[in-house]
Amino acid sequence: MSATHKDPGLPVSNPTTPHWQEPLHPLADVSSPQLPETADVVIVGSGITGCSVAKTLLHRDPRVRVVVLEARGLASGASSRNGGHIISPCFSSFDELVSNFGTKAAVELAVFSERNIDKTFEVAAEFRSSGLVVESKIRRTEKVLAFRDREKFDRIKTVLELWNEHMPIDRRDPFHMVDPEEAKARYGMQNVAGLAVGRAAAAWPYRLWIGIWIQLYRTYGDRLSIETHTPALSVTALQQIEQPHQYIVTTPRGDIKTTHIVYCTNGYTSHLLPRLRGKLFPVRGTMSAQDLGSSVLNLGAQRSWSFDASPSQDVETGVVDPGLYYLTQDPDSGYMMLGGEYDHPDSIASSDDSKINPLSAEKIVDVVPRHFVGAKAPVVVSLWSGIMGFVRDGLPLIGNLPEVVSGRPGKGEWIAAGFNGYGTGYCLSCGEAVAEMILGKDIGWLPAVLLLTEERFGGSLVTRNAWGALIGEDDGVEEDESTRTSSEGSGAAAEVR
Ligand SMILES: Cc1cc2nc3c(=O)[nH]c(=O)nc-3n(C[C@H](O)[C@H](O)[C@H](O)COP(=O)(O)OP(=O)(O)OC[C@H]3O[C@@H](n4cnc5c(N)ncnc54)[C@H](O)[C@@H]3O)c2cc1C
């Protein structure tokens, strides 16, 4: 069985420790003395997405009672193991979005995702009086997207033309191109084919998301129970679906009856929803905090970087190079917060963040000395891994679960998961959309292409293979018999990103 079709299991109990999570917040392990017996909504997972669902529900409906189940510490998953970049993936992949989903959907996605960045700042500002903005160091940055090969640099110029042709006027020209000479003289970058320089943002992710959780907990403590170290083990639908509590969520501390359950479990989702195996799968990312001393300037308050190359796989060793390294710099310590992969597919397609992709860990120390003029070899201050959720067609899975996915009757199961390594461009707005759907509000503002419909489940989640190159799979993906639907198997040729 290919790695993407395996049960990801529950989050392991002994994960690596990210630099971001030191020190842990005093309320990181918060729980009620007794697990509540009932809830209106159980949210599984306390990352950005779960936080957004909870915040929206609690803000918009004064009656709703929410229980959050988190297998480990509060906000300790990918949301605080990432690169700290607040960024939309839509610009650099705009050509693929257009060819995969059509121009209209691509434009909707790009506007939605870019708007999500502004929303992140708005949410942080809502809690300004708690010190969140200062604590989390949330800031706009000039984004330097450096291309390590000519092919990629040429492609981005075409992408920019396509973007400017179709995007609304106020979103045009998000990046400008810089040739290698100017890259060196003005941006201190070497060994690059060129740069695209535009906008992004950055933050200390753990402080941002746990900071918001704590404010919610203090404000809505009578209606919000946060239960850390309490994994959801299974979900059962009650037979009498007309009663208010349609589902039982089983945990090691007891059962909870609930009307709605929301899966904000990202790479682990298919443990609870086995029919999603092979369609939404875990990808292990590698991150580091590197000290380069005075050999690099501290530009962290105003700049962030990515290094992009064409993806490749070594035919002899099987090692995959997805081609991407991403980098923010802490404005106080000057540490380079750098991540990226270069490893065997079985290392990358893993849900175990107690281990680190070994080859990736070796490679990421070379990136800054190779590309920053004058940079010396770094001291690695901290090295960790985190689990992302990748989706076969390359887009997050949002909305009400059709029975063909949940395997259970009823309309109370929801999902917001599978952010393909770019959560800060999507999670907040997607969590908000799911909460509004639960409250029966209109979500016409959500790009319809993100919805997990029965059609998508049997369609692009089978026929596409957006991440085949990353995890070394071709289009001959093995399907678990139990996950087949009648429309599967007829698929068009897979696309490899
Ligand atoms: C190394 C790395 C680098 C990244 N860099 C960036 C970046 O720079 N910019 C960017 O935008 N995105 C980045 N991402 C992606 C981004 O972090 C994620 O897309 C985003 O955090 C997803 O948020 P989430 O809330 O959906 O998932 P998570 O934050 O992973 O939260 C899911 C939670 O569910 C819990 N859980 C799972 N199963 C269960 C269960 N059965 N019971 C109870 N709890 C459960 C987990 O413990 C976890 O806390 C990166 C990710 C990684 C791993």
Side-chain angles (χ1 to χ4, degrees), residues 9-12 20 43-52 68-89 116-117 201 205 209 213 227-234 249-252 263-272 283-288 306 326-328 337-341 353 384-390 416-428:
L10 292 169
V12 299
W20 304 124
I43 298 170
V44 189
S46 70
I48 308 173
T49 315
C51 183
S52 176
V68 177
L69 298 179
E70 169 51 58
R72 305 193 296 210
L74 188 58
S76 65
S79 298
S80 62
R81 301 178 164 269
N82 59 33
H85 242 149
I86 300 175
I87 190 163
S88 162
N116 191 78
I117 310 295
W209 301 111
W213 271 122
E227 310 296 338
T228 62
H229 304 283
T230 309
L233 301 177
S234 63
V249 185
T250 303
T251 84
Y263 301 92
C264 300
T265 37
N266 213 21
Y268 306 96
T269 307
S270 75
H271 179 63
L272 293 172
V283 163
R284 182 167 59 197
T286 311
M287 262 298 297
S288 63
S306 291
Y326 41 91
L327 169 60
T328 60
M337 311 300 289
L338 196 151
E341 304 321 310
D353 56 3
W384 67 93
S385 60
I387 307 304
M388 301 173 252
F390 276 59
F419 296 100
N420 301 288
Y422 280 100
T424 58
Y426 279 115
C427 297
L428 202 55

